[in-house]
Amino acid sequence: LENNFLATADLDIPFSQDSFGAPPPQFFGYGNLTDGDSPNSGINGEPGIRLHVDVSERQSAEQYDLPPENQFLAPVAERALSTFSIDVDTASYANIRRFITNGQLPPGNAVRIEEMVNYFSYAYPQPDNGKPFSVSLDVAQCPWQPANKLVRVGIQGREIPRDNRPASNLVFLIDVSGSMSDENKLPLLQRSMLMLVDQLTENDRVSIVTYASDAGIRLQPTSGDQKQIIRDVINSLSSGGSTHGSAGIATAYELATRHFIEGGTNRVLLATDGDLNVGVTDDDALVQLIKSRAESGVFLSVLGFGTGNLKDGKLEKIADNGNGQYCYIDSIGEAQKVLVSEMSGSLVTIAKDVKLQIEFNPAEVAGYRLIGYENRALKNEDFANDRIDAGDIGAGHSVTAFYEIVPMRAVSTPAPVAPSGMRYQRSQVVAVEQLQSVDDESLTDAARSGELMYVALRFKQPESSESDLLEVTVMDSNQSFDAAPVDFKFAASVAAYGMKLRQSAYAGNWTWSDIENIAVATIGDDTQGHRAELVDLVRQTRKLLGR
């Protein structure tokens, strides 16, 4: 084959923002996508984008799957509703850290902003009245686009002390194929598992299933206090062969369901680099396999390992459809965080199929954009459909979502008809630009209240098939960003970091220096050092970019 072109430096690639689904610059005036002093040249005078190409990345077999970022929408008719599933995964942040620490920029489609924000804990209140989680709402000036508002929706799961953790039926499903031989794969996995074994008690049952060319049970269900027996099996594992993942999944679920603990934690923990190349390998077929097994009441979580071969998109789909969490283990420190410090949240589910639906008030909001959660979008009609799967919350987990809001002003939008049951619009709604005032007859009385939005959450108790409903409304506090809570500002800096890494069309006028300064100023009581690490990653990224 003839030689290909190879990139030796950064390339300036012109593009049309319309082709990326972003609004044209004149709509909201976001301007250039880069952080330089002068814009790159582009098509028809529009800005360009700087594409960082790394030759080693091109040769990598890693695979990522992320839809285009969410656009701004005008809240007219059904578009006034934003519906999505919550996400407690944290894999993207740990994976980005791995790239930056190794002196590389991550691929843009490896950056899932919600997973970066949700990697950190925030001072949300604990729930009361027996609820599984609390809901917090904040509004402040948007730091990267000061004419706009930034709304934070925060969910805090109920804490469960370790000594109150329910009995567990845990099946470790371990990839021991040849692709797992590297030091940061099976050897790191073994060290990670040994840390978890130290946390187990006599109330826990542990099984180990391994798979390569075929699948086999290496450890029958064993009491958690038989630690040396478990350690010996873990230490005996070695890698070799191809990867028959579907066979391992079937064996692990069969073992977990056979020893199911009523009222306890029943979970398969899949540890792999995701390179399933024998048996059922197609993503859609794997999703259907996992969905059918999840109906047994056994949840599945995924621990991703390794570099150069990571099938990130596949692993995220498996975890999402297995009612579990997807984490990426890049170091023994991350194993400590996931499997020891946050053990209850990783294993104990307190609410499942958690969905959010937000209705924006067109009398107050001209446009809105959900930051992240691109692959968690749901159809509006699926919100009240209890047969539709959604994300789960573990004990002590927190979930954060940001919306950027454009305050009401004249915009050009079509005039579709609003569906029945809307809070702020009547069925004969007109286009936003035709609204003369909040007294317009197309709006309901609620639209005149000054509310920005109405937030509805649906969730199921872990063993229930019917959902409960929580409802909250949000008013604009006219709060400046400087006056916002410390946690709000830190989480905003993480979201902005993600947008910059993704080279987002919506990153606004915040510079790398702005992001670093806010992150430094909002470290707060950082006993685990996670926020300080974020600051260090921002600094390393600036060095890589020469900023």
Side-chain angles (χ1 to χ4, degrees):
L1 297 177
E2 62 182 343
N3 294 325
N4 294 321
F5 280 98
L6 298 178
T8 59
D10 290 345
L11 304 176
D12 284 331
I13 307 297
F15 76 104
S16 164
Q17 282 188 321
D18 287 332
S19 68
F20 279 73
Q26 67 270 20
F27 189 77
F28 291 117
Y30 279 175
N32 197 0
L33 303 192
T34 64
D35 196 26
D37 294 328
S38 60
N40 298 321
S41 59
I43 296 173
N44 298 324
E46 294 183 1
I49 185 169
R50 182 170 291 274
L51 176 64
H52 301 276
V53 180
D54 186 284
V55 174
S56 63
E57 180 185 313
R58 290 179 54 151
Q59 296 172 341
S60 171
E62 297 186 12
Q63 294 178 359
Y64 299 93
D65 183 13
L66 184 63
E69 62 183 347
N70 295 321
Q71 305 175 41
F72 275 95
L73 297 174
V76 179
E78 190 168 352
R79 286 200 304 275
L81 297 173
S82 174
T83 309
F84 67 99
S85 162
I86 63 96
D87 187 7
V88 296
D89 295 347
T90 60
S92 183
Y93 177 83
N95 192 33
I96 288 166
R97 178 178 60 202
R98 183 255 300 185
F99 274 102
I100 300 298
T101 302
N102 290 339
Q104 294 177 282
L105 293 173
N109 60 352
V111 181
R112 294 187 290 273
I113 294 174
E114 72 279 4
E115 294 186 21
M116 298 178 65
V117 174
N118 288 331
Y119 184 86
F120 301 92
S121 58
Y122 304 101
Y124 298 134
Q126 279 290 302
D128 54 16
N129 299 324
K131 295 286 195 306
F133 52 79
S134 67
V135 181
S136 301
L137 297 154
D138 300 279
V139 184
Q141 181 186 41
C142 181
W144 51 81
Q145 197 61 251
N148 293 348
K149 305 285 185 180
L150 192 62
V151 178
R152 179 181 67 159
V153 181
I155 299 173
Q156 178 61 55
R158 182 180 68 249
E159 297 277 1
I160 295 180
R162 291 191 184 186
D163 52 3
N164 290 340
R165 182 171 58 83
S168 297
N169 166 33
L170 306 177
V171 179
F172 292 99
L173 175 56
I174 302 174
D175 182 353
V176 293
S177 63
S179 68
M180 289 289 289
S181 61
D182 295 343
E183 184 63 28
N184 61 2
K185 294 186 180 181
L186 183 58
L188 175 58
L189 164 58
Q190 289 171 297
R191 297 199 303 274
S192 302
M193 287 185 62
L194 291 174
M195 296 173 65
L196 177 59
V197 170
D198 291 338
Q199 309 302 311
L200 301 177
T201 72
E202 67 276 5
N203 294 324
D204 301 313
R205 284 202 296 261
V206 180
S207 311
I208 296 177
V209 175
T210 60
Y211 67 95
S213 301
D214 53 15
I217 300 174
R218 295 293 298 270
L219 179 69
Q220 292 286 347
T222 301
S223 174
D225 60 354
Q226 301 296 307
K227 299 185 186 302
Q228 193 55 50
I229 294 175
I230 303 171
R231 291 189 187 110
D232 288 343
V233 173
I234 294 171
N235 288 327
S236 70
L237 301 178
S238 60
S239 59
S242 54
T243 317
H244 200 316
S246 57
I249 290 170
T251 302
Y253 269 107
E254 192 279 328
L255 193 60
T257 53
R258 192 193 320 155
H259 298 277
F260 193 89
I261 299 176
E262 292 292 341
T265 295
N266 298 275
R267 187 175 297 269
V268 173
L269 292 101
L270 169 62
T272 178
D273 62 0
D275 189 20
L276 283 64
N277 51 37
V278 176
V280 179
T281 60
D282 176 74
D283 284 9
D284 291 339
L286 276 171
V287 165
Q288 290 305 313
L289 172 63
I290 295 298
K291 279 185 173 180
S292 66
R293 300 291 181 173
E295 294 174 358
S296 66
V298 175
F299 293 178
L300 181 145
S301 293
V302 177
L303 305 176
F305 286 84
T307 63
N309 200 43
L310 181 69
K311 302 301 184 284
D312 177 83
K314 186 186 298 290
L315 296 184
E316 187 195 20
K317 289 177 183 176
I318 290 174
D320 289 351
N321 288 279
N323 294 333
Q325 185 181 12
Y326 171 35
C327 300
Y328 176 76
I329 308 295
D330 62 331
S331 64
I332 200 67
E334 185 66 12
Q336 170 78 25
K337 177 179 183 291
V338 173
L339 298 177
V340 179
S341 301
E342 300 175 358
M343 179 182 178
S344 291
S346 301
L347 299 181
V348 182
T349 298
I350 59 171
K352 67 180 183 180
D353 293 339
V354 183
K355 309 171 189 174
L356 281 86
Q357 184 168 83
I358 297 177
E359 181 184 346
F360 292 89
N361 182 359
E364 302 290 336
V365 177
Y368 69 89
R369 188 177 87 87
L370 175 61
I371 300 174
Y373 293 92
E374 286 85 1
N375 54 6
R376 289 291 193 160
L378 295 173
K379 296 177 181 178
N380 290 333
E381 59 267 26
D382 289 343
F383 177 69
N385 186 349
D386 285 347
R387 294 175 297 175
I388 300 298
D389 183 66
D392 306 314
I393 296 179
H397 276 160
S398 63
V399 180
T400 300
F402 277 115
Y403 280 93
E404 184 177 346
I405 289 178
V406 181
M408 179 58 192
R409 66 190 184 203
V411 291
S412 177
T413 58
V417 175
S420 61
M422 300 284 279
R423 180 176 177 83
Y424 303 116
Q425 301 177 52
R426 303 188 195 281
S427 59
Q428 68 272 27
V429 70
V430 297
V432 168
E433 73 273 13
Q434 296 174 4
L435 296 176
Q436 300 301 312
S437 70
V438 293
D439 294 325
D440 192 290
E441 64 179 12
S442 65
L443 300 181
T444 65
D445 290 340
R448 301 174 176 86
S449 65
E451 296 172 5
L452 282 179
M453 54 199 247
Y454 159 78
V455 181
L457 296 97
R458 283 198 175 274
F459 67 94
K460 298 173 187 171
Q461 299 291 343
E463 297 180 359
S464 175
S465 58
E466 297 183 359
S467 63
D468 296 324
L469 177 66
L470 289 177
E471 302 170 283
V472 187
T473 56
V474 182
M475 303 289 289
D476 185 3
S477 62
N478 292 315
Q479 181 174 227
S480 69
F481 182 72
D482 289 341
V486 168
D487 274 0
F488 184 105
K489 291 189 284 188
F490 179 81
S493 72
V494 179
Y497 179 43
M499 287 192 289
K500 284 285 195 181
L501 284 175
R502 197 173 174 180
Q503 298 182 317
S504 169
Y506 307 99
N509 59 13
W510 239 18
T511 66
W512 287 104
S513 178
D514 292 329
I515 294 171
E516 180 183 333
N517 290 340
I518 293 297
V520 169
T522 56
I523 285 179
D525 185 15
D526 186 33
T527 56
Q528 301 298 319
H530 297 149
R531 295 192 180 192
E533 179 188 71
L534 184 278
V535 172
D536 186 56
L537 288 181
V538 173
R539 289 170 176 166
Q540 290 184 62
T541 305
R542 293 183 66 183
K543 288 181 181 179
L544 288 173
L545 292 169
R547 304 293 170 81

